Amino acid sequence: MNANFFAAVLLMLSAFVSIVYGLPTGAPTTACKSMTPNHLNYRPQTSASPFRTVPANTLMAVGENLDILLETTATNQFRGFLTMAFDASNTGAGPIGIISSVSDGQVIECTAGFLNAATHVDNVDKSQVSLVWTAPADFTGTVVFWTTFVQAQDIFWVQVPSATVTVA
């Protein structure tokens, strides 16, 4: 076997790896628990994120809808995201509420039967994404939105917190 054959095989394998790990069509539900992208051996950034999650209000009623904006704070743009809402006093219990109306993305089930996460549908640069979160009818307390922002395969921030929202 010659060197050209091995080069062709290596090229095909590298294309397969980028398809498996690239996921330009959004985060899989397996990412829900850690909110960490499976981008080969890259680690999350530890610097302050140039992106943020901005709730339209910091006070809302039980069962009410809340507009949420994912946006850049600089000239950087993000290509991917995964956003969920959590009870700020018990984030380990999993995401709460329902997400809908994602302007440049889709909703996924991070808890079976509940569309409680939003993610991207492509890896095109974005400076803003809007979505709507609906508070659970039986929840009162404080909510925090965590978003993982992906700028590039090797540049991403995990669980960037929003300002808290009180549901009363």
Side-chain angles (χ1 to χ4, degrees), residues 8-159:
V9 169
L10 184 60
L11 181 62
M12 287 174 32
L13 288 174
S14 67
F16 177 75
V17 168
S18 68
I19 289 168
V20 170
Y21 289 100
L23 298 173
T25 57
T29 55
T30 55
C32 292
K33 186 168 180 140
S34 70
M35 296 187 72
T36 303
N38 188 9
H39 290 182
L40 296 173
N41 293 319
Y42 298 115
R43 301 270 181 220
Q45 300 297 303
T46 56
S47 60
S49 173
F51 313 110
R52 63 183 176 191
T53 303
V54 182
N57 296 304
T58 57
L59 179 62
M60 65 183 292
V62 171
E64 190 174 71
N65 291 340
L66 179 66
D67 292 329
I68 306 292
L69 188 63
L70 311 180
E71 66 181 9
T72 183
T73 61
T75 58
N76 306 34
Q77 293 187 317
F78 56 97
R79 292 184 178 173
F81 63 92
L82 177 61
T83 302
M84 292 183 266
F86 295 88
D87 176 346
S89 68
N90 187 12
T91 57
I96 62 172
I98 302 297
I99 293 181
S100 61
S101 303
V102 184
S103 66
D104 194 1
Q106 62 185 332
V107 292
I108 60 174
E109 291 182 11
C110 279
T111 305
F114 297 95
L115 295 172
N116 52 12
T119 189
H120 54 287
V121 291
D122 59 41
N123 60 359
V124 175
D125 285 343
K126 301 159 187 53
S127 56
Q128 274 191 347
V129 172
S130 63
L131 57 96
V132 175
W133 179 73
T134 305
D138 60 350
F139 175 82
T140 58
T142 305
V143 173
V144 63
F145 296 88
W146 281 351
T147 303
T148 292
F149 290 99
V150 177
Q151 183 175 337
Q153 183 177 14
D154 60 338
I155 304 171
F156 55 90
W157 291 261
V158 174
Q159 297 178 345

